[in-house]
Structures are given as C-alpha cells and as structure tokens.
Amino acid sequence: MGRPSKYSDEFRRDAVALHRASGGRRTFEAVAKEIGVNHETLRNWVRAAGAGSAGPEPALDSDERAELARLRKAEREWQVEKEILRRAAAPRNRRRHGRRTRTADGTRRTSPGPGRRPASRSTNEKPCHPG
C-alpha cells in the first residue's frame, strides 16, 4: 500500500477545474506552477477526472459566465501591461550590457557588451566633446 497523498480531494478537484477553466490557453506547467504542484501530477489528475466523468461538464449559469468573462478581460489587460513593460525595459537592458569607461585622456566611451565587436576608431581621431 502506498503512502497517503498530501493533497486533499477538494484541492485536486479545484486544480482540475482551474486547468479546465483556462480552456486550453494555459499549459499544465503554467497552472501547476501557479498552484505549487508538479505538472505531471496535475496532468494525471486531469486525466483521471476526465475518465471518471460520465459526460460533458454542466453548462455555466449566468453568474459563472459573467465571472469567467470578467476574469478573461482582466487576463487580457494583464497581458497587454506585461507586453508594455517588457518593451519599455528592452532599451534599458541593452544599455546595461555596455560598459562606460574613461580613456587615458579622460574622455568617456562606451565599450560594447558581451559578444559585440567594438566600433573601429582611428587613433588620430579627436573626441567630439571635450571631457
């Protein structure tokens, strides 16, 4: 006989319902990470629940439909906000990889980040802006 599960039946049902509520838009891994279980464990629970159910899930009532619509709208807004923040952070991340240094004559120059080639500049060329 195996050890008893550390997850209650109610927790399992809620986890399966959460995955099914995503309507296939979220992976097992994403949902499992959110609730703190292994994705294979969640996959097994969903499969077992699918085999045990004797037909399609009951239709949603009006309150559940309204809640689902509200949650989907909020998720779309979060995705847009996340994309805006990602794009806003992109130039900052690029600058962070370059190194600001001072040359022997005291002028500033930015060295390229990792994996980039330095811009070629002749040794006789004077800096555009005095130090």
Side-chain angles (χ1 to χ4, degrees):
M1 182 166 162
R3 68 174 178 80
S5 175
K6 63 181 179 180
Y7 303 110
S8 68
D9 290 338
E10 181 182 3
F11 180 81
R12 291 178 189 205
R13 282 192 302 273
D14 290 345
V16 170
L18 181 63
H19 181 265
R20 287 183 177 166
S22 70
R25 288 177 291 146
R26 295 178 64 199
T27 63
F28 284 109
E29 289 182 56
V31 176
K33 187 175 184 180
E34 181 180 320
I35 61 175
V37 299
N38 185 292
H39 67 279
E40 286 299 324
T41 302
L42 178 62
R43 185 187 319 267
N44 290 337
W45 293 347
V46 171
R47 285 183 183 156
S53 64
E57 290 187 33
L60 301 175
D61 64 10
S62 60
D63 290 338
E64 291 171 329
R65 266 192 231 107
E67 176 72 4
L68 184 59
R70 185 187 68 76
L71 292 172
R72 286 181 176 166
K73 181 180 178 185
E75 184 180 3
R76 282 192 304 270
E77 290 172 359
W78 291 333
Q79 293 297 330
V80 169
E81 290 173 7
K82 185 171 97 175
E83 182 66 19
I84 290 169
L85 291 173
R86 185 185 66 79
R87 288 182 182 182
R92 187 174 314 126
N93 289 340
R94 271 187 262 129
R95 279 186 300 219
R96 188 175 299 155
H97 292 294
R99 306 236 193 295
R100 291 203 168 230
T101 58
R102 290 199 180 257
T103 59
D105 62 354
T107 59
R108 287 185 180 178
R109 81 175 181 93
T110 303
S111 64
R116 296 188 185 147
R117 295 179 56 197
S120 61
R121 190 163 110 179
S122 72
T123 57
N124 296 335
E125 188 177 323
K126 298 288 183 187
C128 295
H129 302 286

